[in-house]
Amino acid sequence: MRVWTQFTDTLGASLVFVGAAICLLGVIGMLRLPDVLSRSHAATKPQTLGLLLVLAGVALRLRSGMDLATLALIGFFQLMTSPVASHLVARSAYRTGQIEHAELLIDDLDEQLTERAPEPEPGPGPGTD
């Protein structure tokens, strides 16, 4: 049993280290990337993966039922809130003109947010008085 405990402790420490390194890469990406959409991606994807790895590593080290439930709730709320917050930041950047439209490969929001000129109402036809 002692070997199994040593193995899980080592694996947990490794997961914490790898998760922290991925979070660090996400922070470096947030500082180095040029535009809002790239920074939003760097703020969400590596941070979420890094936190989940850290939580898995801590779970391997703690092994208590209440601690595992708490860590599961932390992971669940991170998975629910981080993509939504990133989406809202990107959408507000798009609406306020912070996005270079020429650099987008596909612009799905252009059709939805562009105001169209109203069509003229049909009037009386010729020859009607």
Side-chain angles (χ1 to χ4, degrees):
M1 191 68 167
R2 175 100 173 114
V3 175
W4 179 252
T5 305
Q6 183 66 30
F7 175 74
T8 57
D9 285 346
T10 305
L11 183 63
S14 299
L15 286 175
V16 168
F17 179 74
V18 170
I22 290 175
C23 287
L24 178 65
L25 289 175
V27 169
I28 292 170
M30 284 176 43
L31 295 174
R32 303 270 319 210
L33 291 173
D35 61 343
V36 175
L37 295 179
S38 299
R39 288 180 182 171
S40 173
H41 179 78
T44 305
K45 305 290 190 234
Q47 298 300 334
T48 302
L49 176 63
L51 180 72
L52 290 177
L53 287 175
V54 167
L55 292 175
V58 171
L60 285 175
R61 302 275 311 217
L62 292 179
R63 298 182 201 95
S64 168
M66 185 60 91
D67 294 333
L68 294 178
T70 303
L71 293 173
L73 280 174
I74 292 170
F76 173 75
F77 286 120
Q78 175 69 23
L79 286 174
M80 291 297 114
T81 58
S82 182
V84 173
S86 175
H87 174 77
L88 290 176
V89 167
R91 176 66 72 100
S92 66
Y94 185 91
R95 287 186 177 189
T96 58
Q98 303 292 321
I99 306 294
E100 293 290 330
H101 294 281
E103 294 180 4
L104 296 177
L105 296 177
I106 298 172
D107 191 0
D108 291 331
L109 293 177
D110 188 37
E111 296 173 1
Q112 296 174 7
L113 298 178
T114 303
E115 294 182 21
R116 296 185 183 124
E119 296 180 15
E121 294 181 18
T128 56
D129 289 322

